Amino acid sequence: MSLYQAVIDALNAGGVIAYPTEAVYGLGCDPDNEAAVLALLAIKQRPVEKGLILVAANYSQLLPYVDDNAIPLEKRYQIFSSWPGHVSWVLPASQAAPKWITGQFDSIAVRVSAHPVVQQLCLTYGKPLVSTSANLSGQPAITDKDELEHSLGAMLAAIVPGALGGATQPSQIRHALTGDIVRS
């Protein structure tokens, strides 16, 4: 069995995984599995109302969660030219987007990653993953694999091997309709 198959099996079983991203280790799970998302939020000690980011290999993977028709034509170039990359965009959520992902919002934060491990995970899984930094809410994001294993390893179904990308900060989050920077 390939390494990715074991991770896919863990995701299908509702497990929470950790994986390298551009800047930090991320925690992820199946965005459509409410129990898995609630388990991830419990690990992070983060309230569901805050919402979560979805990360994908390409925009088409995000279409079930995004109200594509509500994105103005004049905003599309800026969004799509930043992907794949290190920018998350807050877009209008589709009616099908789960409330355990959108939280208290009618929007959803999404990004198309350029990180090869994230790309391969999402392509192999066939859909986006929840993507949030691997840390307790309010604590610094984890950038060291040993620290990840020591602090969160026992709560995770799998830790995907791979190096972090070269970025020094988690992804910037921008609001697509206003252009405002939500997180720099």
Side-chain angles (χ1 to χ4, degrees), residues 44-74:
K44 274 196 69 90
Q45 300 171 12
R46 177 186 170 103
V48 69
E49 293 79 18
K50 289 180 84 172
L52 291 161
I53 296 173
L54 295 185
V55 67
N58 53 58
Y59 182 64
S60 63
Q61 288 188 329
L62 297 168
L63 286 173
Y65 308 91
V66 171
D67 183 354
D68 186 63
N69 292 327
I71 303 169
L73 286 175
E74 67 272 11

PDB file of all heavy atoms in Angstrom, residues 44-74:
ATOM      1  N   LYS A  44      -7.618  21.432  17.947  1.00  0.00           N
ATOM      2  CA  LYS A  44      -7.134  22.818  17.924  1.00  0.00           C
ATOM      3  C   LYS A  44      -7.690  23.669  19.065  1.00  0.00           C
ATOM      4  O   LYS A  44      -7.165  24.736  19.337  1.00  0.00           O
ATOM      5  CB  LYS A  44      -7.527  23.499  16.607  1.00  0.00           C
ATOM      6  CG  LYS A  44      -6.545  23.244  15.511  1.00  0.00           C
ATOM      7  CD  LYS A  44      -6.726  24.199  14.359  1.00  0.00           C
ATOM      8  CE  LYS A  44      -6.382  25.618  14.603  1.00  0.00           C
ATOM      9  NZ  LYS A  44      -5.018  26.034  14.334  1.00  0.00           N
ATOM     10  N   GLN A  45      -8.781  23.209  19.672  1.00  0.00           N
ATOM     11  CA  GLN A  45      -9.504  23.997  20.671  1.00  0.00           C
ATOM     12  C   GLN A  45      -9.998  25.301  20.037  1.00  0.00           C
ATOM     13  O   GLN A  45      -9.816  26.394  20.565  1.00  0.00           O
ATOM     14  CB  GLN A  45      -8.630  24.246  21.913  1.00  0.00           C
ATOM     15  CG  GLN A  45      -8.202  22.966  22.591  1.00  0.00           C
ATOM     16  CD  GLN A  45      -7.175  23.173  23.693  1.00  0.00           C
ATOM     17  OE1 GLN A  45      -6.924  24.297  24.133  1.00  0.00           O
ATOM     18  NE2 GLN A  45      -6.574  22.085  24.151  1.00  0.00           N
ATOM     19  N   ARG A  46     -10.625  25.142  18.872  1.00  0.00           N
ATOM     20  CA  ARG A  46     -11.095  26.273  18.066  1.00  0.00           C
ATOM     21  C   ARG A  46     -12.612  26.169  17.906  1.00  0.00           C
ATOM     22  O   ARG A  46     -13.125  25.100  17.608  1.00  0.00           O
ATOM     23  CB  ARG A  46     -10.407  26.211  16.698  1.00  0.00           C
ATOM     24  CG  ARG A  46     -10.843  27.275  15.707  1.00  0.00           C
ATOM     25  CD  ARG A  46     -10.181  26.996  14.352  1.00  0.00           C
ATOM     26  NE  ARG A  46     -10.739  27.836  13.318  1.00  0.00           N
ATOM     27  CZ  ARG A  46     -10.125  28.906  12.830  1.00  0.00           C
ATOM     28  NH1 ARG A  46      -8.943  29.255  13.274  1.00  0.00           N
ATOM     29  NH2 ARG A  46     -10.682  29.618  11.876  1.00  0.00           N
ATOM     30  N   PRO A  47     -13.332  27.278  18.060  1.00  0.00           N
ATOM     31  CA  PRO A  47     -14.789  27.227  17.899  1.00  0.00           C
ATOM     32  C   PRO A  47     -15.196  27.079  16.427  1.00  0.00           C
ATOM     33  O   PRO A  47     -14.564  27.644  15.532  1.00  0.00           O
ATOM     34  CB  PRO A  47     -15.263  28.572  18.463  1.00  0.00           C
ATOM     35  CG  PRO A  47     -14.078  29.472  18.370  1.00  0.00           C
ATOM     36  CD  PRO A  47     -12.859  28.597  18.469  1.00  0.00           C
ATOM     37  N   VAL A  48     -16.257  26.335  16.191  1.00  0.00           N
ATOM     38  CA  VAL A  48     -16.743  26.089  14.836  1.00  0.00           C
ATOM     39  C   VAL A  48     -17.190  27.388  14.167  1.00  0.00           C
ATOM     40  O   VAL A  48     -17.122  27.520  12.936  1.00  0.00           O
ATOM     41  CB  VAL A  48     -17.874  25.019  14.836  1.00  0.00           C
ATOM     42  CG1 VAL A  48     -19.135  25.561  15.495  1.00  0.00           C
ATOM     43  CG2 VAL A  48     -18.150  24.507  13.438  1.00  0.00           C
ATOM     44  N   GLU A  49     -17.620  28.383  14.948  1.00  0.00           N
ATOM     45  CA  GLU A  49     -18.135  29.636  14.386  1.00  0.00           C
ATOM     46  C   GLU A  49     -17.091  30.396  13.563  1.00  0.00           C
ATOM     47  O   GLU A  49     -17.445  31.200  12.701  1.00  0.00           O
ATOM     48  CB  GLU A  49     -18.646  30.560  15.505  1.00  0.00           C
ATOM     49  CG  GLU A  49     -19.863  30.045  16.225  1.00  0.00           C
ATOM     50  CD  GLU A  49     -19.536  28.967  17.282  1.00  0.00           C
ATOM     51  OE1 GLU A  49     -18.367  28.841  17.705  1.00  0.00           O
ATOM     52  OE2 GLU A  49     -20.473  28.250  17.662  1.00  0.00           O
ATOM     53  N   LYS A  50     -15.802  30.169  13.838  1.00  0.00           N
ATOM     54  CA  LYS A  50     -14.756  30.918  13.131  1.00  0.00           C
ATOM     55  C   LYS A  50     -14.586  30.484  11.680  1.00  0.00           C
ATOM     56  O   LYS A  50     -14.005  31.205  10.882  1.00  0.00           O
ATOM     57  CB  LYS A  50     -13.419  30.765  13.869  1.00  0.00           C
ATOM     58  CG  LYS A  50     -13.381  31.510  15.194  1.00  0.00           C
ATOM     59  CD  LYS A  50     -12.057  31.343  15.894  1.00  0.00           C
ATOM     60  CE  LYS A  50     -11.048  32.353  15.378  1.00  0.00           C
ATOM     61  NZ  LYS A  50      -9.808  32.345  16.184  1.00  0.00           N
ATOM     62  N   GLY A  51     -15.074  29.298  11.329  1.00  0.00           N
ATOM     63  CA  GLY A  51     -14.917  28.814   9.962  1.00  0.00           C
ATOM     64  C   GLY A  51     -13.513  28.283   9.713  1.00  0.00           C
ATOM     65  O   GLY A  51     -12.601  28.479  10.519  1.00  0.00           O
ATOM     66  N   LEU A  52     -13.358  27.589   8.600  1.00  0.00           N
ATOM     67  CA  LEU A  52     -12.089  26.944   8.250  1.00  0.00           C
ATOM     68  C   LEU A  52     -11.771  27.187   6.782  1.00  0.00           C
ATOM     69  O   LEU A  52     -12.656  27.473   5.983  1.00  0.00           O
ATOM     70  CB  LEU A  52     -12.184  25.436   8.506  1.00  0.00           C
ATOM     71  CG  LEU A  52     -12.261  25.022   9.974  1.00  0.00           C
ATOM     72  CD1 LEU A  52     -12.813  23.615  10.109  1.00  0.00           C
ATOM     73  CD2 LEU A  52     -10.893  25.139  10.615  1.00  0.00           C
ATOM     74  N   ILE A  53     -10.506  27.012   6.442  1.00  0.00           N
ATOM     75  CA  ILE A  53     -10.047  27.129   5.054  1.00  0.00           C
ATOM     76  C   ILE A  53     -10.099  25.757   4.401  1.00  0.00           C
ATOM     77  O   ILE A  53      -9.801  24.747   5.037  1.00  0.00           O
ATOM     78  CB  ILE A  53      -8.596  27.670   5.009  1.00  0.00           C
ATOM     79  CG1 ILE A  53      -8.525  29.085   5.583  1.00  0.00           C
ATOM     80  CG2 ILE A  53      -8.035  27.635   3.585  1.00  0.00           C
ATOM     81  CD1 ILE A  53      -7.102  29.617   5.715  1.00  0.00           C
ATOM     82  N   LEU A  54     -10.450  25.735   3.121  1.00  0.00           N
ATOM     83  CA  LEU A  54     -10.300  24.530   2.312  1.00  0.00           C
ATOM     84  C   LEU A  54      -9.128  24.747   1.370  1.00  0.00           C
ATOM     85  O   LEU A  54      -8.979  25.827   0.785  1.00  0.00           O
ATOM     86  CB  LEU A  54     -11.555  24.252   1.478  1.00  0.00           C
ATOM     87  CG  LEU A  54     -12.831  23.915   2.236  1.00  0.00           C
ATOM     88  CD1 LEU A  54     -13.932  23.549   1.246  1.00  0.00           C
ATOM     89  CD2 LEU A  54     -12.601  22.790   3.224  1.00  0.00           C
ATOM     90  N   VAL A  55      -8.303  23.719   1.212  1.00  0.00           N
ATOM     91  CA  VAL A  55      -7.169  23.772   0.291  1.00  0.00           C
ATOM     92  C   VAL A  55      -7.389  22.707  -0.774  1.00  0.00           C
ATOM     93  O   VAL A  55      -7.909  21.622  -0.481  1.00  0.00           O
ATOM     94  CB  VAL A  55      -5.822  23.581   1.030  1.00  0.00           C
ATOM     95  CG1 VAL A  55      -5.674  22.188   1.606  1.00  0.00           C
ATOM     96  CG2 VAL A  55      -4.645  23.924   0.132  1.00  0.00           C
ATOM     97  N   ALA A  56      -7.029  23.054  -2.013  1.00  0.00           N
ATOM     98  CA  ALA A  56      -7.285  22.150  -3.135  1.00  0.00           C
ATOM     99  C   ALA A  56      -6.110  22.131  -4.101  1.00  0.00           C
ATOM    100  O   ALA A  56      -5.218  22.984  -4.039  1.00  0.00           O
ATOM    101  CB  ALA A  56      -8.550  22.594  -3.860  1.00  0.00           C
ATOM    102  N   ALA A  57      -6.158  21.165  -5.004  1.00  0.00           N
ATOM    103  CA  ALA A  57      -5.149  21.062  -6.054  1.00  0.00           C
ATOM    104  C   ALA A  57      -5.478  21.967  -7.231  1.00  0.00           C
ATOM    105  O   ALA A  57      -4.597  22.367  -7.979  1.00  0.00           O
ATOM    106  CB  ALA A  57      -5.026  19.609  -6.533  1.00  0.00           C
ATOM    107  N   ASN A  58      -6.772  22.286  -7.403  1.00  0.00           N
ATOM    108  CA  ASN A  58      -7.210  23.150  -8.500  1.00  0.00           C
ATOM    109  C   ASN A  58      -8.568  23.745  -8.139  1.00  0.00           C
ATOM    110  O   ASN A  58      -9.242  23.271  -7.218  1.00  0.00           O
ATOM    111  CB  ASN A  58      -7.267  22.370  -9.820  1.00  0.00           C
ATOM    112  CG  ASN A  58      -8.095  21.107  -9.697  1.00  0.00           C
ATOM    113  OD1 ASN A  58      -9.272  21.161  -9.342  1.00  0.00           O
ATOM    114  ND2 ASN A  58      -7.481  19.959  -9.958  1.00  0.00           N
ATOM    115  N   TYR A  59      -8.952  24.770  -8.862  1.00  0.00           N
ATOM    116  CA  TYR A  59     -10.201  25.462  -8.548  1.00  0.00           C
ATOM    117  C   TYR A  59     -11.418  24.560  -8.727  1.00  0.00           C
ATOM    118  O   TYR A  59     -12.381  24.660  -7.977  1.00  0.00           O
ATOM    119  CB  TYR A  59     -10.336  26.732  -9.392  1.00  0.00           C
ATOM    120  CG  TYR A  59     -11.592  27.521  -9.092  1.00  0.00           C
ATOM    121  CD1 TYR A  59     -11.784  28.090  -7.842  1.00  0.00           C
ATOM    122  CD2 TYR A  59     -12.583  27.695 -10.056  1.00  0.00           C
ATOM    123  CE1 TYR A  59     -12.943  28.816  -7.541  1.00  0.00           C
ATOM    124  CE2 TYR A  59     -13.735  28.422  -9.775  1.00  0.00           C
ATOM    125  CZ  TYR A  59     -13.907  28.972  -8.514  1.00  0.00           C
ATOM    126  OH  TYR A  59     -15.052  29.681  -8.229  1.00  0.00           O
ATOM    127  N   SER A  60     -11.386  23.664  -9.706  1.00  0.00           N
ATOM    128  CA  SER A  60     -12.566  22.829  -9.942  1.00  0.00           C
ATOM    129  C   SER A  60     -12.905  21.986  -8.719  1.00  0.00           C
ATOM    130  O   SER A  60     -14.080  21.687  -8.488  1.00  0.00           O
ATOM    131  CB  SER A  60     -12.391  21.961 -11.188  1.00  0.00           C
ATOM    132  OG  SER A  60     -11.322  21.071 -11.030  1.00  0.00           O
ATOM    133  N   GLN A  61     -11.897  21.616  -7.906  1.00  0.00           N
ATOM    134  CA  GLN A  61     -12.184  20.872  -6.676  1.00  0.00           C
ATOM    135  C   GLN A  61     -12.981  21.713  -5.680  1.00  0.00           C
ATOM    136  O   GLN A  61     -13.668  21.169  -4.814  1.00  0.00           O
ATOM    137  CB  GLN A  61     -10.885  20.399  -6.009  1.00  0.00           C
ATOM    138  CG  GLN A  61     -10.196  19.275  -6.750  1.00  0.00           C
ATOM    139  CD  GLN A  61      -9.031  18.708  -5.951  1.00  0.00           C
ATOM    140  OE1 GLN A  61      -8.363  19.403  -5.186  1.00  0.00           O
ATOM    141  NE2 GLN A  61      -8.779  17.428  -6.137  1.00  0.00           N
ATOM    142  N   LEU A  62     -12.879  23.028  -5.772  1.00  0.00           N
ATOM    143  CA  LEU A  62     -13.560  23.923  -4.828  1.00  0.00           C
ATOM    144  C   LEU A  62     -14.979  24.288  -5.253  1.00  0.00           C
ATOM    145  O   LEU A  62     -15.756  24.809  -4.454  1.00  0.00           O
ATOM    146  CB  LEU A  62     -12.728  25.201  -4.645  1.00  0.00           C
ATOM    147  CG  LEU A  62     -11.347  24.988  -4.029  1.00  0.00           C
ATOM    148  CD1 LEU A  62     -10.495  26.246  -4.172  1.00  0.00           C
ATOM    149  CD2 LEU A  62     -11.460  24.564  -2.576  1.00  0.00           C
ATOM    150  N   LEU A  63     -15.332  24.015  -6.495  1.00  0.00           N
ATOM    151  CA  LEU A  63     -16.630  24.447  -7.030  1.00  0.00           C
ATOM    152  C   LEU A  63     -17.839  23.962  -6.234  1.00  0.00           C
ATOM    153  O   LEU A  63     -18.810  24.720  -6.102  1.00  0.00           O
ATOM    154  CB  LEU A  63     -16.758  24.062  -8.509  1.00  0.00           C
ATOM    155  CG  LEU A  63     -15.928  24.931  -9.451  1.00  0.00           C
ATOM    156  CD1 LEU A  63     -15.986  24.382 -10.874  1.00  0.00           C
ATOM    157  CD2 LEU A  63     -16.380  26.386  -9.402  1.00  0.00           C
ATOM    158  N   PRO A  64     -17.843  22.752  -5.652  1.00  0.00           N
ATOM    159  CA  PRO A  64     -19.023  22.376  -4.864  1.00  0.00           C
ATOM    160  C   PRO A  64     -19.240  23.254  -3.618  1.00  0.00           C
ATOM    161  O   PRO A  64     -20.347  23.303  -3.096  1.00  0.00           O
ATOM    162  CB  PRO A  64     -18.721  20.930  -4.441  1.00  0.00           C
ATOM    163  CG  PRO A  64     -17.728  20.440  -5.445  1.00  0.00           C
ATOM    164  CD  PRO A  64     -16.917  21.640  -5.813  1.00  0.00           C
ATOM    165  N   TYR A  65     -18.211  23.946  -3.172  1.00  0.00           N
ATOM    166  CA  TYR A  65     -18.262  24.708  -1.925  1.00  0.00           C
ATOM    167  C   TYR A  65     -18.394  26.220  -2.150  1.00  0.00           C
ATOM    168  O   TYR A  65     -18.698  26.951  -1.229  1.00  0.00           O
ATOM    169  CB  TYR A  65     -16.994  24.440  -1.107  1.00  0.00           C
ATOM    170  CG  TYR A  65     -16.735  22.972  -0.913  1.00  0.00           C
ATOM    171  CD1 TYR A  65     -15.948  22.255  -1.804  1.00  0.00           C
ATOM    172  CD2 TYR A  65     -17.302  22.286   0.159  1.00  0.00           C
ATOM    173  CE1 TYR A  65     -15.731  20.898  -1.637  1.00  0.00           C
ATOM    174  CE2 TYR A  65     -17.087  20.924   0.334  1.00  0.00           C
ATOM    175  CZ  TYR A  65     -16.300  20.236  -0.566  1.00  0.00           C
ATOM    176  OH  TYR A  65     -16.090  18.893  -0.406  1.00  0.00           O
ATOM    177  N   VAL A  66     -18.146  26.655  -3.379  1.00  0.00           N
ATOM    178  CA  VAL A  66     -18.098  28.078  -3.719  1.00  0.00           C
ATOM    179  C   VAL A  66     -19.271  28.423  -4.628  1.00  0.00           C
ATOM    180  O   VAL A  66     -19.620  27.654  -5.528  1.00  0.00           O
ATOM    181  CB  VAL A  66     -16.764  28.403  -4.444  1.00  0.00           C
ATOM    182  CG1 VAL A  66     -16.759  29.807  -5.003  1.00  0.00           C
ATOM    183  CG2 VAL A  66     -15.590  28.187  -3.507  1.00  0.00           C
ATOM    184  N   ASP A  67     -19.892  29.588  -4.406  1.00  0.00           N
ATOM    185  CA  ASP A  67     -20.916  30.090  -5.324  1.00  0.00           C
ATOM    186  C   ASP A  67     -20.190  30.847  -6.433  1.00  0.00           C
ATOM    187  O   ASP A  67     -20.001  32.060  -6.364  1.00  0.00           O
ATOM    188  CB  ASP A  67     -21.899  30.992  -4.574  1.00  0.00           C
ATOM    189  CG  ASP A  67     -23.023  31.478  -5.465  1.00  0.00           C
ATOM    190  OD1 ASP A  67     -22.992  31.226  -6.696  1.00  0.00           O
ATOM    191  OD2 ASP A  67     -23.937  32.137  -4.937  1.00  0.00           O
ATOM    192  N   ASP A  68     -19.762  30.094  -7.428  1.00  0.00           N
ATOM    193  CA  ASP A  68     -18.939  30.648  -8.512  1.00  0.00           C
ATOM    194  C   ASP A  68     -19.645  31.798  -9.232  1.00  0.00           C
ATOM    195  O   ASP A  68     -19.008  32.775  -9.617  1.00  0.00           O
ATOM    196  CB  ASP A  68     -18.575  29.533  -9.504  1.00  0.00           C
ATOM    197  CG  ASP A  68     -17.606  30.001 -10.563  1.00  0.00           C
ATOM    198  OD1 ASP A  68     -16.466  30.371 -10.207  1.00  0.00           O
ATOM    199  OD2 ASP A  68     -17.983  30.016 -11.757  1.00  0.00           O
ATOM    200  N   ASN A  69     -20.951  31.706  -9.397  1.00  0.00           N
ATOM    201  CA  ASN A  69     -21.704  32.752 -10.110  1.00  0.00           C
ATOM    202  C   ASN A  69     -21.739  34.076  -9.355  1.00  0.00           C
ATOM    203  O   ASN A  69     -22.021  35.112  -9.942  1.00  0.00           O
ATOM    204  CB  ASN A  69     -23.137  32.286 -10.379  1.00  0.00           C
ATOM    205  CG  ASN A  69     -23.173  31.147 -11.378  1.00  0.00           C
ATOM    206  OD1 ASN A  69     -22.356  31.080 -12.281  1.00  0.00           O
ATOM    207  ND2 ASN A  69     -24.113  30.233 -11.190  1.00  0.00           N
ATOM    208  N   ALA A  70     -21.441  34.045  -8.051  1.00  0.00           N
ATOM    209  CA  ALA A  70     -21.475  35.272  -7.245  1.00  0.00           C
ATOM    210  C   ALA A  70     -20.120  35.997  -7.218  1.00  0.00           C
ATOM    211  O   ALA A  70     -20.001  37.047  -6.597  1.00  0.00           O
ATOM    212  CB  ALA A  70     -21.915  34.943  -5.817  1.00  0.00           C
ATOM    213  N   ILE A  71     -19.127  35.448  -7.909  1.00  0.00           N
ATOM    214  CA  ILE A  71     -17.819  36.105  -7.968  1.00  0.00           C
ATOM    215  C   ILE A  71     -17.824  37.038  -9.174  1.00  0.00           C
ATOM    216  O   ILE A  71     -17.930  36.580 -10.314  1.00  0.00           O
ATOM    217  CB  ILE A  71     -16.668  35.080  -8.100  1.00  0.00           C
ATOM    218  CG1 ILE A  71     -16.708  34.083  -6.950  1.00  0.00           C
ATOM    219  CG2 ILE A  71     -15.320  35.800  -8.144  1.00  0.00           C
ATOM    220  CD1 ILE A  71     -15.778  32.897  -7.139  1.00  0.00           C
ATOM    221  N   PRO A  72     -17.724  38.351  -8.933  1.00  0.00           N
ATOM    222  CA  PRO A  72     -17.764  39.302 -10.058  1.00  0.00           C
ATOM    223  C   PRO A  72     -16.622  39.067 -11.051  1.00  0.00           C
ATOM    224  O   PRO A  72     -15.500  38.726 -10.657  1.00  0.00           O
ATOM    225  CB  PRO A  72     -17.606  40.667  -9.376  1.00  0.00           C
ATOM    226  CG  PRO A  72     -17.956  40.438  -7.940  1.00  0.00           C
ATOM    227  CD  PRO A  72     -17.592  39.021  -7.641  1.00  0.00           C
ATOM    228  N   LEU A  73     -16.930  39.256 -12.318  1.00  0.00           N
ATOM    229  CA  LEU A  73     -15.931  39.052 -13.374  1.00  0.00           C
ATOM    230  C   LEU A  73     -14.670  39.876 -13.129  1.00  0.00           C
ATOM    231  O   LEU A  73     -13.560  39.406 -13.353  1.00  0.00           O
ATOM    232  CB  LEU A  73     -16.528  39.402 -14.743  1.00  0.00           C
ATOM    233  CG  LEU A  73     -17.520  38.388 -15.300  1.00  0.00           C
ATOM    234  CD1 LEU A  73     -18.140  38.905 -16.594  1.00  0.00           C
ATOM    235  CD2 LEU A  73     -16.851  37.047 -15.522  1.00  0.00           C
ATOM    236  N   GLU A  74     -14.833  41.103 -12.646  1.00  0.00           N
ATOM    237  CA  GLU A  74     -13.672  41.979 -12.466  1.00  0.00           C
ATOM    238  C   GLU A  74     -12.763  41.525 -11.319  1.00  0.00           C
ATOM    239  O   GLU A  74     -11.636  42.001 -11.207  1.00  0.00           O
ATOM    240  CB  GLU A  74     -14.102  43.433 -12.272  1.00  0.00           C
ATOM    241  CG  GLU A  74     -14.846  43.724 -10.982  1.00  0.00           C
ATOM    242  CD  GLU A  74     -16.361  43.525 -11.054  1.00  0.00           C
ATOM    243  OE1 GLU A  74     -16.861  42.954 -12.044  1.00  0.00           O
ATOM    244  OE2 GLU A  74     -17.028  43.944 -10.096  1.00  0.00           O
TER     245      GLU A  74
END
